[in-house]
Amino acid sequence: MIAAAQAEEIELMAQLYRLRRAQQLALGVGPLYAGEDAATEIGMAIKVSQRSADGSIALGLGLDERYRATREAFAEGRIDLPRARAISETLTNASDELLATVEPRIAAYAEHAEPQRVRRTLRRWLLEADPAGQAARRKSAEADRYVKVTAAEDGTALLEAVLPAAGGQAVYERLREMASTQCCGQDPRTTGQRRADALIALADGTGRLTCRCGHGTCPRSHSGESTPAARKALVQVGVSAETLAGLQDNPAFLAGFGAIDADLARQIARHAHFDVITDTDRPAAGGVPDAAVIAPLIDPGPALNAMTELVHVYCTPAQRRSHRQSRRHQPALGSIVVRARPDTEPPF
């Protein structure tokens, strides 16, 4: 059965983690870090993200050490992976006494319930069994609230947040309200896409969505209202000058995110004003100018002569060492540093 095979896979991941941890501890690696690269090894082997592999390892360890009834039901195929995850994640902070009371019950209940119902039922049982403890755990969890952004696939970003329950629901309801009331039924975006765009609208200061139906008589049009201009965030992009000029399509680098495609880099540059920083404006030692685009010039060739002759670019000491070692850069060329300003046409 599929569920039994999933259980075996999760168990093998946990075993590999323990093996790697023991090997690295024997080599003197600190306990805090020993075994942490097992997720990378697993991810490369079965083509999943490190985040997914980390979650699978944590599930396998929990099933082996704490959730015995759930492990048995999972191994026998009576519950599947989503149900096992639901039980494990909901019981993460439960005491051993609570586990002994509710874990066998919820493992049996999960055989005939969807994962979301398993979570809701298990939370209710925990609250009924230990109301004071649940209040204390809630306060502790709220103290660990955060928001972070990480790179996802194909030029997208993953926004992850842990918020107090009421605050999280307030955010979602506000996005849902904007998505359903500020666009007409002819808007081509899905509901999920409108909610995502609504979150960006809240962040950039405009505060509302613009319907994309394309009809001048759209009933949700707000043409008569005053909408604040979207605030522009200062970003840094590293891109070759040839790619920026459209002569090549080499990948670019968005600071704090990672690699992006050439077309996205040119879209970002399209809304920037370029102030070239010359030798006389060189930053202090180790400093970086207030820059939005840093374009390293790698053998630009005749096609860019007209552009490169207009500026005097500089090389940092580190760049000069790199140039001498690689012999790929022209010694006279380093980087063009430009500062982004919103709503200004680029110089090309």
Side-chain angles (χ1 to χ4, degrees), residues 7-8 16 18-19 28-29 48 55 88 107 126 129 141 183 215 220 237 245 264 270 298-299:
E8 184 178 3
L16 179 62
R18 289 193 180 94
L19 174 63
V29 177
V48 299
S88 171
L126 291 172
C183 300
H215 302 309
R220 303 293 170 84
V237 178
L264 178 56
R270 190 175 300 126
I298 303 176
D299 297 332

Side-chain angles (χ1 to χ4, degrees), residues 98 101-102 105 120-134 137:
L98 276 177
T101 301
V102 302
R105 290 173 59 200
R120 289 195 298 269
T121 301
L122 182 52
R123 290 190 188 109
R124 186 178 72 250
W125 289 355
L126 291 172
L127 189 58
E128 292 170 351
D130 183 22
Q134 282 300 102
R137 285 188 288 272

Side-chain angles (χ1 to χ4, degrees), residues 295-329:
L297 299 179
I298 303 176
D299 297 332
L304 291 182
N305 282 345
M307 179 186 299
T308 58
E309 288 172 358
L310 295 177
V311 298
H312 178 66
V313 295
Y314 71 88
C315 296
T316 65
Q319 285 175 322
R320 286 196 291 270
R321 287 194 298 271
S322 175
H323 298 172
R324 287 195 296 268
Q325 292 168 2
S326 67
R327 302 183 183 276
R328 292 179 58 202
H329 294 65

Side-chain angles (χ1 to χ4, degrees), residues 65-286:
E65 298 168 5
R66 303 191 74 205
Y67 316 124
R68 304 298 174 83
T70 304
R71 183 187 64 180
E72 181 178 343
F74 191 21
E76 293 176 359
R78 291 185 277 117
I79 64 173
D80 59 8
L81 179 58
R83 290 171 172 82
R85 286 193 188 280
I87 295 172
S88 171
E89 292 169 1
T90 309
L91 289 175
T92 295
N93 296 317
S95 65
D96 291 341
E97 293 77 9
L98 276 177
L99 280 179
T101 301
V102 302
E103 195 257 337
R105 290 173 59 200
I106 198 63
Y109 177 85
E111 295 180 24
H112 309 289
E114 295 299 315
Q116 288 304 316
R117 183 175 293 276
V118 170
R119 291 178 189 273
R120 289 195 298 269
T121 301
L122 182 52
R123 290 190 188 109
R124 186 178 72 250
W125 289 355
L126 291 172
L127 189 58
E128 292 170 351
D130 183 22
Q134 282 300 102
R137 285 188 288 272
R138 173 184 56 78
K139 293 177 181 178
S140 177
E142 289 177 350
D144 292 331
R145 59 192 179 275
Y146 67 88
V147 176
K148 70 176 182 179
V149 177
T150 55
E153 302 299 327
D154 302 321
T156 60
L158 176 66
L159 177 65
E160 178 181 314
V162 170
L163 305 173
Q169 193 62 25
V171 171
Y172 180 81
E173 287 300 322
R174 176 58 176 150
L175 300 180
R176 185 190 63 79
E177 176 190 357
M178 293 173 66
S180 60
T181 64
Q182 296 180 358
C183 300
C184 75
Q186 301 302 313
D187 188 286
R189 292 169 291 184
T190 65
T191 302
Q193 289 170 338
R194 292 198 302 273
R195 284 199 296 263
D197 292 344
L199 182 59
I200 296 173
L202 290 177
D204 68 16
T206 58
R208 66 164 299 133
L209 290 172
T210 299
C211 186
R212 296 183 183 176
C213 67
H215 302 309
T217 58
C218 175
R220 303 293 170 84
S221 173
H222 55 282
S223 56
E225 303 176 17
S226 176
T227 302
R231 292 193 296 266
K232 301 294 185 181
L234 183 67
V235 298
Q236 289 188 330
V237 178
V239 57
S240 71
E242 290 176 313
T243 297
L244 199 61
L247 303 175
Q248 289 187 2
D249 288 317
N250 296 321
F253 182 84
L254 175 60
F257 178 87
I260 60 174
D261 61 271
D263 182 62
L264 178 56
R266 288 191 285 264
Q267 286 183 41
I268 295 172
R270 190 175 300 126
H271 300 285
H273 170 74
F274 294 80
D275 291 339
V276 178
I277 308 300
T278 66
D279 262 352
T280 57
D281 300 315
R282 183 180 300 182

